[in-house]
């Protein structure tokens, strides 16, 4: 290979600035494996920080609204009641002291208002997702992702600015969350499309299962950063993550190669081939990628018609309903539930809730690895969703007995809830985005990913919204809703599960017939 200076101007000029600098330092073009490593690291960092900014709201919820849930539980302090009753006509003053709440979220309807913020963010996230996938398959993903990250940073920070600006208008926070949701929607279709461009189906489930740890790592990072910043003022819990995503956005702009073609790298054929027997190709719901013929962006309706897209999209609707209810409400639930007879502080609850995401990391890796070994995405996803039902039941029923038991059950619940969620949004989306019906066209990855995750995000919006209202009456009812959603998610994959089981039986029979034929030949 020649030095970078010997590369043709056409190939060199398309490379990100950071790649050019690396090649100047090393004195040689980067290898295909090096590009793959850069893609995994940069996209991992990108979506880690996307989720970190998304997690901050759940940590700050119990600070903005420290009293409304207590009212429903009869735990409000006598001194607070006395102050309200003795001076009913006194104009209200707004305190910046941690624990005093923040209008308009500190009233009796504070929990419902916070739920409306969540649904506004997620509704616009889901709405924007469909457009982001469509645009992502038609625009330069590096530029598109950078703009999305910088916009997310700005509007995440704007929420925190309300602290110093002494802003108490609900509509200010509502509009900020709506626009933030639109910018956030640029992230997932873009990173999955980029990773799908660089990695074939071989070991995709395991690779993407490990890579998808960014979701849980982001939640953990967001929880720890937001919790640490609370003592300085809740505004910092938004501004610091906002600055972090802006910095990572610049890293994306400087370093991210969106596809092998964009940097003149040659694909390694064994990464993109996964030979199967012809009979498996007929019955396998998620089929391998074929040789590329024409790279024309796939339409929205055409992408919906790809076999497997609709069932997995609807499954993700209910899976994300469960996962995002925990994402937004778990710290609040922990801080308002007596564990071994004691209530934890907002900071401690936020930190403890990260163990749900630690379980999610393991769940995502296990789901990816198992689905690779079994070559059965639907069976794996459905099995995890069914296992999530008893996990949710035991966490609600016995999590309050002791802190250790709460941690163990939370970890197990996170593993089963986030496992299928991670599998569907990564390996399944990439598989379907390179379905054989597309004849190898890679320009459907972002659209298919957006359809699946966008549909899931509608459920993600509905879950926290319903929780905001239902939790005021009963947390047991919330968990009943979550168990029902997990059951429906598993049932929606029934047809694909049956197809995969049938394929396994047919494959087993085929192997048995071949073995008998070989034995007969030997006997002769």
């Amino acid at each position: 290979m020649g030095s970078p200076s010997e590369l043709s101007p056409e190939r060199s000029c398309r490379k990100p600035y950071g790649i050019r600098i690396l090649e100047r330092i090393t004195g040689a073009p980067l290898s295909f494996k090096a590009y793959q490593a850069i893609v995994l690291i940069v996209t991992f960092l990108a979506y880690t920080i996307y989720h970190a900014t998304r997690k901050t709201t759940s940590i700050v919820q119990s600070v903005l609204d420290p009293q409304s849930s207590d009212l429903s539980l009869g735990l409000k302090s006598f001194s607070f009641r006395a102050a309200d009753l003795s001076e009913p006509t006194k104009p209200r003053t707004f305190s910046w002291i941690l624990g005093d709440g923040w209008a308009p979220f500190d009233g009796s309807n504070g929990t419902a208002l916070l739920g409306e913020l969540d649904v506004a963010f997620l509704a616009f996230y889901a709405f924007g997702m469909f457009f982001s996938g469509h645009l992502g398959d038609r625009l330069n993903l590096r530029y598109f992702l950078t703009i999305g990250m910088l916009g997310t940073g700005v509007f995440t920070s704007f929420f925190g600015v309300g602290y110093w600006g002494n802003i108490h208008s609900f509509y200010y926070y509502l509009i900020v969350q709506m626009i933030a949701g639109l910018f956030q929607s640029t992230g997932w279709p873009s990173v999955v499309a980029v990773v799908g461009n660089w990695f074939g189906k071989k070991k995709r489930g395991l690779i993407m299962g490990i890579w998808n740890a960014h979701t849980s790592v982001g939640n953990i990072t967001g929880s720890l950063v937001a919790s640490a910043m609370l003592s300085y003022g809740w505004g910092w819990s938004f501004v610091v993550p906002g600055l972090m995503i802006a910095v990572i956005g610049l890293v994306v702009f400087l370093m991210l190669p969106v596809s092998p073609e964009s940097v003149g790298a040659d694909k390694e054929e064994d990464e993109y081939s996964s030979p199967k027997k012809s009979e498996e190709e007929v019955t396998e719901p998620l089929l391998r990628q074929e040789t590329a013929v024409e790279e024309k962006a796939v339409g929205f309706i055409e992408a919906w018609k790809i076999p497997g897209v609709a069932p997995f999209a609807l499954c993700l609707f209910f899976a994300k309903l469960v996962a995002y209810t925990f994402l937004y409400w778990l710290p609040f639930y922990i801080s308002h539930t007596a564990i071994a007879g004691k209530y934890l502080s907002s900071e401690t609850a936020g930190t403890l809730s990260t163990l749900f995401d630690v379980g999610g990391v393991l769940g995502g890796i296990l789901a990816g690895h198992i689905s690779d070994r079994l070559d059965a995405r639907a069976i794996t996803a459905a099995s995890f969703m069914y296992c999530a039902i008893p996990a949710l039941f035991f966490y609600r029923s016995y999590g309050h007995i002791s802190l250790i038991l709460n941690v163990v059950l939370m970890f197990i619940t996170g593993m089963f809830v986030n496992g299928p969620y991670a599998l569907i949004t990564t390996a399944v989306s990439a598989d379907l985005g390179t379905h054989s019906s597309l004849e190898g066209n890679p320009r459907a990855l972002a659209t298919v990913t957006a359809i699946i995750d966008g549909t899931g995000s509608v459920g993600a919006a509905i879950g926290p919204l319903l929780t905001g209202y239902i939790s005021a009456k009963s947390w047991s009812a919330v968990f009943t809703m979550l168990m029902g959603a997990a059951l429906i998610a598993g049932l929606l994959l029934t047809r694909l599960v049956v197809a995969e089981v049938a394929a396994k039986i047919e494959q087993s029979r085929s192997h048995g017939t071949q073995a008998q034929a070989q034995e007969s030949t030997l006997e002769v």
Side-chain angles (χ1 to χ4, degrees):
M1 297 293 289
S3 66
S5 61
E6 295 173 343
L7 295 174
S8 65
E10 293 79 4
R11 291 178 64 168
S12 180
C13 68
R14 291 178 296 178
K15 296 181 180 181
Y17 297 108
I19 298 296
R20 299 185 211 175
I21 293 173
L22 280 178
E23 291 187 333
R24 289 196 184 102
I25 293 173
T26 59
L30 297 179
S31 67
F32 191 84
K33 293 292 186 183
Y35 277 120
Q36 287 183 315
I38 291 172
V39 166
L40 288 178
I41 293 171
V42 173
T43 54
F44 185 94
L45 289 174
Y47 214 68
T48 292
I49 200 64
Y50 263 111
H51 255 268
T53 57
R54 200 176 301 173
K55 181 66 176 178
T56 55
T57 306
S58 68
I59 300 300
V60 180
Q61 274 183 343
S62 56
V63 175
L64 301 177
D65 174 31
Q67 302 293 344
S68 61
S69 182
D70 292 348
L71 275 169
S72 64
L73 295 172
L75 298 173
K76 202 170 200 182
S77 66
F78 174 80
S79 59
F80 189 86
R81 288 178 181 272
D84 282 350
L85 294 173
S86 60
E87 298 177 315
T89 60
K90 183 178 179 180
R92 182 155 189 185
T93 59
F94 303 112
S95 172
W96 287 15
I97 300 174
L98 187 68
D100 284 359
W102 189 266
F105 307 108
D106 58 347
S108 59
N109 64 337
T111 304
L113 291 178
L114 289 170
E116 290 174 12
L117 286 186
D118 292 342
V119 75
F121 173 87
L122 292 168
F124 274 73
Y125 174 79
F127 176 77
M129 183 76 72
F130 297 111
F131 289 96
S132 294
H134 184 78
L135 292 172
D137 280 328
R138 290 158 177 79
L139 301 177
N140 186 306
L141 286 171
R142 180 162 61 93
Y143 300 151
F144 188 59
L145 189 57
T146 300
I147 293 171
M149 297 181 76
L150 293 177
T152 298
V154 169
F155 283 92
T156 299
S157 299
F158 276 178
F159 197 105
V161 167
Y163 173 77
W164 294 284
N166 204 25
I167 298 173
H168 300 278
S169 169
F170 172 73
Y171 294 102
Y172 169 82
Y173 299 104
L174 183 67
I175 292 171
V176 167
Q177 286 293 79
M178 288 177 177
I179 301 175
L182 289 176
F183 277 109
Q184 282 262 357
S185 69
T186 61
W188 191 240
S190 300
V191 296
V192 172
V194 171
V195 173
N197 287 338
W198 282 96
F199 292 89
K201 190 175 180 180
K202 186 179 181 181
K203 295 185 179 179
R204 180 180 278 165
L206 177 59
I207 291 173
M208 290 190 127
I210 297 172
W211 172 76
N212 192 68
H214 53 52
T215 298
S216 297
V217 172
N219 291 340
I220 293 169
T221 302
S223 297
L224 295 178
V225 171
S227 297
M229 293 295 105
L230 283 178
S231 59
Y232 301 99
W234 64 261
W236 288 110
S237 296
F238 289 93
V239 171
V240 171
L243 293 174
M244 291 168 63
I245 195 171
V247 171
I248 301 299
L250 295 178
V251 173
V252 167
F253 177 76
L254 293 173
M255 294 295 299
L256 184 65
V258 297
S259 68
E261 294 79 12
S262 69
V263 292
D266 296 324
K267 292 183 179 180
E268 297 184 355
E269 292 301 326
D270 61 337
E271 286 286 341
Y272 289 85
S273 61
S274 180
K276 291 178 180 290
K277 296 183 182 295
S278 59
E279 65 267 23
E280 292 176 36
E281 293 177 356
V282 175
T283 55
E284 179 71 36
L286 302 175
L287 302 181
R288 62 182 175 89
Q289 179 178 352
E290 303 291 343
T291 304
V293 289
E294 180 184 0
E295 296 186 3
K296 181 180 178 181
V298 174
F300 183 78
I301 301 300
E302 184 182 353
W304 265 107
K305 294 179 180 178
I306 296 173
V309 167
F312 274 113
L314 294 174
C315 172
L316 191 62
F317 174 96
F318 291 97
K320 287 191 75 169
L321 185 153
V322 179
Y324 269 66
T325 296
F326 272 88
L327 174 69
Y328 281 96
W329 286 100
L330 183 57
F332 189 90
Y333 171 75
I334 294 173
S335 65
H336 290 82
T337 300
I339 300 176
K342 297 180 180 180
Y343 288 89
L344 303 178
S345 66
S346 299
E347 297 91 331
T348 303
T351 302
L352 185 64
S353 69
T354 61
L355 292 169
F356 177 85
D357 296 296
V358 174
V361 172
L362 178 60
I365 295 173
L366 282 176
H369 179 62
I370 292 171
S371 69
D372 277 344
R373 293 294 299 272
L374 297 178
D375 195 19
R377 309 287 196 214
I379 292 174
T380 305
S383 298
F384 269 70
M385 290 310 310
Y386 292 138
C387 289
I389 297 173
L392 288 164
F393 174 79
F394 285 122
Y395 180 65
R396 171 56 183 167
S397 301
Y398 304 105
H400 65 279
I401 295 177
S402 70
L403 186 61
I404 294 177
L405 189 59
N406 186 286
V407 166
V408 171
L409 293 175
M410 188 193 308
F411 181 90
I412 295 173
T413 303
M415 183 175 67
F416 287 120
V417 168
N418 283 343
Y421 162 37
L423 179 65
I424 295 171
T425 54
T426 54
V428 169
S429 296
D431 287 349
L432 293 172
T434 54
H435 193 274
S436 63
S437 64
L438 299 171
E439 298 180 324
N441 183 0
R443 297 187 64 189
L445 272 170
T447 301
V448 169
T449 301
I451 286 174
I452 292 176
D453 201 47
T455 304
S457 296
V458 176
I462 292 175
L465 175 66
L466 293 176
T467 300
Y469 291 99
I470 298 175
S471 62
K473 298 180 180 179
S474 169
W475 277 105
S476 294
V478 171
F479 277 82
T480 300
M481 174 190 73
L482 297 180
M483 288 185 283
L487 175 62
I488 295 173
L491 292 175
L492 284 167
L493 295 181
T494 300
R495 183 175 63 84
L496 296 180
V497 169
V498 171
E500 288 182 347
V501 171
K504 296 299 177 186
I505 294 174
E506 183 64 28
Q507 183 180 355
S508 177
R509 288 176 179 174
S510 177
H511 289 166
T513 302
Q514 292 177 3
Q516 290 177 358
Q518 290 175 356
E519 289 177 2
S520 299
T521 302
L522 291 174
E523 290 176 358
V524 173

